[in-house]
Each structure stands twice: as structure tokens, then as C-alpha cells.
Amino acid sequence: MAEKVEKKSTVKRTLHYFWQEIVKYKWYSLGFFIATPIVVFVRAVLSAMIFANLIEKVSLGLPLDELLQSAAIDVILYLVCYTVSKMVLEELRLYWTWKMEVLSMYDLANLCFNTVSEQSM
């Protein structure tokens, strides 16, 4: 009677090997994991808060001179936040992700090739 050999799940093994390669590039991963929540916070929460503050100032019925002065600060703050978020952090996040993916996929391909070539010898 044939013995049952328990094998690890293919997903678990794949994630295990992928995690081994990702750990080699921890600085790319760390940058990605830090920048992502910041970008999401600026886009989803902070920009909505700035617009809500701007709408509140407009609805107060202030004279045009005071409204323009107080709204200018909100508009400049929004533009600075959006520029830093989109132009700097988002591009860095994409670069780190791309670089980490390319390097880890290269290492995984080498690992697969070496494993198959060892088995065939």
C-alpha cells in the first residue's frame, strides 16, 4: 500500500520562496510599506479635509477680500500636499515596487533554474 506523503500547499511554498527573495530587498519593501499609507492618507483624507474647510469658509459669507486671503492658504496647502504626494511619494513608491519586483523575479527565476538543474543531474 502506498504511503501518503503530505505536501505543503503550493501557495504556501510559493509565498515562502517569494518571501525569502523579498527579504533580500528589505529597503525597497520598507520604503513601499511606509509610503503607501502616507499617499493614501493624503489623497483620501487630507485633501477631503482641505476641501471641506474651503467650502466652510465660502459658506460663511465672508467679504471677497477676506475669503480670497483665507482660501488662498487652503489652495496652496492642497497643491503642496498633492504635489508631494503624487509627484514625489507616489513615484518613489512605484519605483521601489518595480525595482523590488524585478530583482526578486530575477532571483526566483535563478532559484527555479538551479533547482531544476540540480534535480536533473
Side-chain angles (χ1 to χ4, degrees):
M1 200 153 109
E3 293 182 26
K4 284 189 174 181
V5 177
E6 286 191 34
K7 290 186 176 181
K8 284 185 181 177
S9 165
T10 306
V11 174
K12 285 184 181 178
R13 284 188 294 160
T14 304
L15 289 176
H16 169 75
Y17 291 123
F18 186 70
W19 181 251
Q20 283 180 340
E21 300 305 323
I22 291 294
V23 169
K24 292 179 186 176
Y25 308 108
K26 61 183 169 241
W27 295 113
Y28 292 125
S29 303
L30 184 65
F32 169 77
F33 286 123
I34 289 173
T36 299
I38 294 171
V39 168
V40 169
F41 175 77
V42 168
R43 286 190 178 177
V45 177
L46 193 61
S47 60
M49 288 173 51
I50 292 171
F51 274 113
N53 192 20
L54 187 61
I55 291 170
E56 181 183 347
K57 287 179 181 179
V58 169
S59 66
L60 286 176
L62 296 174
L64 187 60
D65 303 355
E66 293 177 29
L67 180 63
L68 289 178
Q69 289 174 352
S70 63
I73 295 170
D74 288 339
V75 170
I76 290 170
L77 179 64
Y78 174 75
L79 290 175
V80 167
C81 287
Y82 185 79
T83 302
V84 168
S85 171
K86 177 65 179 155
M87 301 289 218
V88 178
L89 287 177
E90 179 71 16
E91 297 302 321
L92 274 175
R93 187 179 72 92
L94 288 174
Y95 172 74
W96 289 329
T97 305
W98 168 78
K99 191 71 172 174
M100 180 182 60
E101 183 181 348
V102 167
L103 292 172
S104 61
M105 287 300 154
Y106 177 76
D107 289 346
L108 283 170
N110 281 338
L111 177 69
C112 291
F113 177 78
N114 291 339
T115 303
V116 169
S117 66
E118 285 175 7
Q119 289 176 354
S120 64
M121 299 214 167

